[in-house]
Amino acid sequence: MARLKNIELIKNIAILFVVLNHCMNPYTGLWVYTSTQNSTVFDFIARYIGSFHMALFVFCSGYIYFYKKDYKMNIIELIKKKYYRLIIPFIFVTFFWIIPVRKAIGFYNHDLIYLYLKNVVLGVDPGPTWFLLMLFNIFIIVHIFYKLVKRFNYKIKIIGLIVLFFISESISEIKYSIIMLYQFKATIVYLPFFLMGGGV
């Protein structure tokens, strides 16, 4: 139980890093919004935190998933559980907050029907809620393939994880394609960190 509390603490710290990174990202010149003021300190902090904060968060999620042995759950039960915890918040926040606000401030040029179809139904660019779709996908993928993977010895798992890292790095360089649907690209990129969290 102490180990779980420690990993929960690290996960909460990772969440704070995410917030801090988003606050300072405008100073990097690489984000959707750019600050009118320059700050090399904020730029450095944002880039540094951005290099690991989501990977750390997903790593902790993987640890908790395997620690609680959620992989023993029935697949339907898991989908229902994660749907209520991840997909419903994704739909609600994206539909009623992110898209309307971004549309109001002129961030989007398309009409609302197009935006809802692209970003809520297809999950291409939902904004800050992208990680909810990504986590949902990872939970389902890991749950389906866990029983197959656990039969392999440790060396094969390590080799498989390395290969998965190379694939995720290659995919991370792809800017626009069909793999953006439902945050599949982000799913592949962060899947290795989830598996590392579980010691797979």
Side-chain angles (χ1 to χ4, degrees), residues 17-37:
F17 278 149
V18 171
V19 175
L20 184 61
N21 175 258
H22 279 69
C23 291
M24 296 185 178
N25 256 333
Y27 294 94
T28 65
L30 302 174
W31 212 38
V32 291
Y33 308 110
T34 302
S35 174
T36 56
Q37 303 294 322

Side-chain angles (χ1 to χ4, degrees), residues 49-186:
I49 294 176
S51 67
F52 68 85
H53 68 302
M54 280 307 301
L56 178 62
F57 176 79
V58 175
F59 176 91
C60 294
S61 298
Y63 181 94
I64 294 170
Y65 170 84
F66 285 99
Y67 182 89
K68 292 184 175 180
K69 298 181 179 180
D70 283 351
Y71 52 82
K72 293 185 177 181
M73 294 174 59
N74 177 275
I75 182 64
I76 302 301
E77 183 182 354
L78 180 88
I79 290 175
K80 289 172 62 177
K81 176 182 177 181
K82 299 305 179 183
Y83 183 86
Y84 284 114
R85 296 192 64 178
L86 299 172
I87 300 302
I88 288 183
F90 164 78
I91 295 173
F92 184 84
V93 176
T94 308
F95 191 96
F96 292 105
W97 176 252
I98 295 175
I99 291 180
V101 169
R102 284 188 166 190
K103 178 67 174 177
I105 64 176
F107 184 78
Y108 292 131
N109 295 322
H110 297 89
D111 60 82
L112 285 175
I113 294 178
Y114 171 85
L115 293 173
Y116 284 130
L117 177 63
K118 175 186 176 183
N119 300 327
V120 179
V121 178
L122 299 179
V124 175
D125 182 24
T129 53
W130 67 270
F131 77 97
L132 296 173
L133 269 182
M134 176 268 292
L135 277 179
F136 181 80
N137 295 338
I138 288 179
F139 279 122
I140 303 305
I141 292 173
V142 171
H143 203 78
I144 291 174
F145 289 99
Y146 174 73
K147 291 183 179 179
L148 174 64
V149 174
K150 74 174 183 179
R151 299 174 185 174
F152 299 140
N153 61 47
Y154 196 72
K155 291 183 179 179
I156 295 178
K157 290 180 180 179
I158 293 296
I159 294 173
L161 195 59
I162 293 173
V163 171
L164 190 57
F165 260 116
F166 277 112
I167 293 174
S168 68
E169 282 299 309
S170 299
I171 288 180
S172 67
E173 297 301 318
I174 300 176
K175 300 300 182 182
Y176 301 101
S177 73
I178 195 171
I179 64 170
M180 299 297 290
L181 295 175
Y182 304 108
Q183 294 302 305
F184 181 74
K185 173 183 173 181

